[in-house]
Amino acid sequence: MKDKIIIFDDPLSSLDYNRRRRTVREIIKLVSKAKQVIVLSHNDALVHELYCAREVKKSRISYYIGQIEQSSVLLPFDIEDHVKGKDHLNKSYKSLKNFLASPNLSNKNDCLENIRIALESSIKKKNFTLIENHNKTFTDLIKTLEENTAILFRGQNDKSKVIDTLRDLDSVSWPVHHGQACDIDMNWSNSPENITLEELKGYVEDTINLIDHVL
């Protein structure tokens, strides 16, 4: 088997939990036996588990199929950073839901920060293969959403209205995130320190709606 290249294409598809665990263990065992093991998968958890396994750390390489100028290409994939992004999304999203359950202004800055983190993480996650640079800021991601015609929103949402909503959320969360007023053209009709509880609730509701139904 030392001269064999083994390819798995979505190996966990349609398997129950026990078979999934056994399959993962068998794939890891093959790494030391075969010349090369290639795993193709849409399953983030599988890719992360294989990537972090002690047996494969010395020889691991990960790629994803991305898009550059309308062409599909293989690009380096930082699975650990990707998983961290999902964790950030989950934590921020949960915090925003908790705020709506018991709204108050005492944690306003945390709320605004979570709005930004949740939206940025959601955009990167849901448009992973269409965004060339995953280190883009929230502001730059909004520009990418606006300019990239391959990126579509769910439902019958008007793209320009979605972009306007994102820009409003960008402007109101910018000072808290960066610790200073922004130096780009933004709508400052609602300065963060002057936000009322009802306005903050509206921003959070807009964020949840974007994540759940639009982006």
Side-chain angles (χ1 to χ4, degrees):
M1 190 177 286
K2 281 290 185 182
D3 61 342
K4 301 293 184 182
I5 296 176
I6 303 173
I7 300 175
F8 293 92
D9 186 2
D10 258 340
L12 301 189
S13 180
S14 301
L15 297 182
D16 61 26
Y17 176 79
N18 290 330
R19 286 184 174 85
R20 285 174 181 239
R21 300 304 311 145
R22 183 173 179 179
T23 299
V24 170
R25 289 196 297 269
E26 291 302 318
I27 292 174
I28 291 173
K29 287 179 184 177
L30 286 172
V31 171
S32 62
K33 298 178 180 179
K35 180 178 181 180
Q36 187 175 18
V37 176
I38 299 172
V39 180
L40 310 174
S41 180
H42 296 92
N43 189 317
D44 290 349
L46 166 65
V47 175
H48 187 248
E49 183 170 359
L50 293 175
Y51 188 82
C52 293
R54 176 174 51 83
E55 295 86 345
V56 306
K57 281 191 174 182
K58 291 183 179 180
S59 58
R60 65 190 183 187
I61 303 175
S62 57
Y63 296 95
Y64 72 96
I65 300 175
Q67 187 176 49
I68 296 180
E69 296 180 354
Q70 308 301 318
S71 298
S72 295
V73 295
L74 278 178
L75 298 170
F77 180 32
D78 189 336
I79 182 62
E80 292 181 330
D81 186 63
H82 181 63
V83 170
K84 286 178 183 177
K86 291 182 68 175
D87 288 342
H88 290 158
L89 170 58
N90 292 337
K91 290 177 182 177
S92 297
Y93 181 88
K94 183 177 180 180
S95 294
L96 294 175
K97 295 288 281 188
N98 288 339
F99 166 81
L100 288 179
S102 181
N104 64 82
L105 286 175
S106 63
N107 57 352
K108 176 177 61 178
N109 285 354
D110 288 342
C111 202
L112 292 171
E113 180 74 18
N114 282 320
I115 284 174
R116 195 174 190 88
I117 293 172
L119 287 171
E120 183 176 312
S121 301
S122 181
I123 291 169
K124 289 179 179 179
K125 174 179 177 289
K126 295 178 181 179
N127 299 283
F128 187 82
T129 61
L130 299 175
I131 296 174
E132 295 177 29
N133 180 3
H134 289 266
N135 293 319
K136 285 185 175 182
T137 64
F138 182 37
T139 304
D140 289 334
L141 286 171
I142 295 172
K143 291 180 183 177
T144 299
L145 292 180
E146 183 178 28
E147 296 169 359
N148 191 329
T149 57
I151 295 178
L152 303 174
F153 298 129
R154 286 177 282 171
Q156 302 298 318
N157 290 284
D158 185 312
K159 190 167 187 175
S160 62
K161 290 182 179 179
V162 174
I163 296 299
D164 286 343
T165 301
L166 286 168
R167 285 198 173 120
D168 284 342
L169 294 169
D170 185 18
S171 69
V172 79
S173 63
W174 176 287
V176 172
H177 182 74
H178 292 280
Q180 60 184 8
C182 71
D183 56 0
I184 61 177
D185 184 22
M186 284 186 171
N187 174 19
W188 286 99
S189 58
N190 271 328
S191 181
E193 60 267 21
N194 298 326
I195 292 175
T196 67
L197 182 58
E198 285 304 310
E199 288 170 337
L200 186 58
K201 284 174 61 180
Y203 290 132
V204 173
E205 288 168 352
D206 285 345
T207 300
I208 297 296
N209 179 62
L210 285 168
I211 293 171
D212 287 349
H213 305 295
V214 180
L215 297 176

